[in-house]
Amino acid sequence: MTAPPYARIVADIKRRVADGELRPGERVPSTRQLARDWGVALATASKALALLAREGVVIAEPRVGTVVAEPRGRARAESRGERPSGPSGRSGRAERPALPGHDVTRERIVRAAIEIADAEGLSELTMRAVAGRLGMATMSLYRHVSGKDDLLTLMIDGAVGEFPLPEEAPDGWRARLETSARLQWAAFREHPWMARTSPLTRPLPSPALLRHTEWALAGLGDRLDATNRMYVVVLLHSYVRGIAANLDMELQARADTGMTDDEWMSGQEARVLAIAESGSAAAFLGTLAEMGGDFDLKLDRLFEFGLARLLDGLAVEIG
């Protein structure tokens, strides 16, 4: 009897891991790539990856994709919450609670959706993909979430909730806004897809984000009129989100080109040289020369630089 397509994909990935073709930490083919290579539906490919994840063969890594899992010793440590800290500085992050067995619950649905968006991007998030990861029928999801917008709201709530506001607020409006902005940045840093969920004019009703609104408004008090207080809250969130959008775009560009940002920039040297020779970028080239010919753009540093200037400007208005 011929094995079903998803089982053949699972067997092939396991063979490649066993043979050393795929090593711990290396990316395995994405859902879309598997579907294309094997000539199967995305749901079938997603089901295969979900089975491999349940068996501990692969694991979804935020901002990286689905990778071969580390040896079981490390997997057991992570299951106890001993997660290594990443480059984004997650000291304020709340640990995710353990999943309740294999029961199909709203929490598991939201968790699966976040894992897909983290690993594959928001464009790959469909109700069918979530159902495939959980090994359930797509229509069964609608007993727990009303639709895609409801799911996105719950995802944002879960992602922002990983970096909770402190129970005791710092003194002063500026310290409050700084705290809110940095915690939002940490959430976007961990989950870059959040920058693409909805426009500012159509915000999703997230309780977690509303807590940030309450936090900021309470700090501002009556220093501004009601309209300008709301503008400050929206401006702060849009600033964080605007910088964070580059995180998601970089991931997409890396997936599309197969190059890091440094590799891509190296390929633009001839163009930059042509512009330099045209004499139309003297100030730019002079600034680069002043920096030793190299400008390493760090989004974390840019975020802090801009946040300080934004708050400086608000201080003139607020006093």
Side-chain angles (χ1 to χ4, degrees), residues 68-154:
V68 178
E70 296 288 344
R72 290 189 178 276
R74 173 171 175 172
R76 284 195 295 271
E78 290 189 348
S79 72
R80 295 193 297 268
E82 299 169 10
R83 290 172 58 89
S85 61
S88 55
R90 306 172 193 169
S91 58
R93 179 177 178 178
E95 291 295 332
R96 295 176 181 171
L99 293 176
H102 293 289
D103 296 332
V104 176
T105 64
R106 175 183 280 198
E107 182 189 0
R108 288 190 69 229
I109 291 170
V110 174
R111 183 79 56 81
I114 289 175
E115 288 173 354
I116 291 171
D118 284 346
E120 307 289 342
L122 202 60
S123 62
E124 298 299 316
L125 178 67
T126 64
M127 300 298 272
R128 178 177 292 184
V130 174
R133 180 171 285 257
L134 294 171
M136 60 187 289
T138 304
M139 292 307 296
S140 299
L141 296 180
Y142 294 97
R143 293 201 297 266
H144 306 277
V145 294
S146 62
K148 184 75 171 290
D149 283 348
D150 185 25
L151 180 58
L152 282 173
T153 301
L154 292 168

Side-chain angles (χ1 to χ4, degrees), residues 261-263 265-266 269 272 284-298 301:
D261 51 352
D262 288 337
E263 290 169 341
M265 285 297 294
S266 295
E269 289 178 356
V272 173
F284 171 70
L285 293 171
T287 303
L288 275 182
E290 190 177 332
M291 293 187 297
D294 184 30
F295 174 48
D296 187 10
L297 177 60
K298 300 292 187 183
R301 185 174 178 182

Side-chain angles (χ1 to χ4, degrees), residues 2 164 236 280:
T2 304
L236 188 72
S280 61

Side-chain angles (χ1 to χ4, degrees), residues 217 224-231:
L217 289 174
L224 298 169
D225 62 47
T227 298
N228 284 331
R229 289 199 301 272
M230 287 301 297
Y231 272 132

Side-chain angles (χ1 to χ4, degrees), residues 39-290:
V40 297
L42 287 172
T44 300
S46 180
K47 184 176 181 179
L49 288 178
L51 181 57
L52 288 164
R54 284 198 296 271
E55 293 183 2
V57 179
V58 301
I59 186 171
E61 288 287 350
R63 304 191 302 275
V64 176
T66 302
V67 302
V68 178
E70 296 288 344
R72 290 189 178 276
R74 173 171 175 172
R76 284 195 295 271
E78 290 189 348
S79 72
R80 295 193 297 268
E82 299 169 10
R83 290 172 58 89
S85 61
S88 55
R90 306 172 193 169
S91 58
R93 179 177 178 178
E95 291 295 332
R96 295 176 181 171
L99 293 176
H102 293 289
D103 296 332
V104 176
T105 64
R106 175 183 280 198
E107 182 189 0
R108 288 190 69 229
I109 291 170
V110 174
R111 183 79 56 81
I114 289 175
E115 288 173 354
I116 291 171
D118 284 346
E120 307 289 342
L122 202 60
S123 62
E124 298 299 316
L125 178 67
T126 64
M127 300 298 272
R128 178 177 292 184
V130 174
R133 180 171 285 257
L134 294 171
M136 60 187 289
T138 304
M139 292 307 296
S140 299
L141 296 180
Y142 294 97
R143 293 201 297 266
H144 306 277
V145 294
S146 62
K148 184 75 171 290
D149 283 348
D150 185 25
L151 180 58
L152 282 173
T153 301
L154 292 168
M155 290 167 64
I156 291 171
D157 227 40
V160 175
E162 292 176 15
F163 301 89
L165 288 160
E167 293 183 8
E168 186 173 343
D171 294 332
W173 67 266
R174 180 166 183 143
R176 272 186 176 249
L177 296 188
E178 284 178 336
T179 299
S180 174
R182 287 175 180 143
L183 288 171
Q184 289 184 61
W185 172 250
F188 278 107
R189 218 37 180 105
E190 184 74 9
H191 306 287
W193 50 266
M194 287 203 305
R196 297 178 53 200
T197 50
S198 64
L200 285 174
T201 52
R202 300 187 182 189
L204 294 173
S206 161
L209 285 178
L210 186 57
R211 283 193 288 274
H212 280 268
T213 299
E214 284 287 308
W215 172 276
L217 289 174
L220 290 170
D222 59 359
R223 292 177 175 83
L224 298 169
D225 62 47
T227 298
N228 284 331
R229 289 199 301 272
M230 287 301 297
Y231 272 132
V232 168
V233 172
V234 174
L235 178 63
L236 188 72
H237 176 71
S238 62
Y239 168 72
V240 179
R241 182 172 174 167
I243 300 294
N246 293 281
L247 298 167
D248 189 62
M249 287 191 287
E250 167 58 23
L251 291 175
Q252 186 61 53
R254 185 174 299 192
D256 291 343
T257 65
M259 294 186 290
T260 66
D261 51 352
D262 288 337
E263 290 169 341
W264 185 86
M265 285 297 294
S266 295
Q268 308 304 309
E269 289 178 356
R271 267 186 153 175
V272 173
L273 182 60
I275 294 172
E277 291 175 345
S278 71
S280 61
F284 171 70
L285 293 171
T287 303
L288 275 182
E290 190 177 332

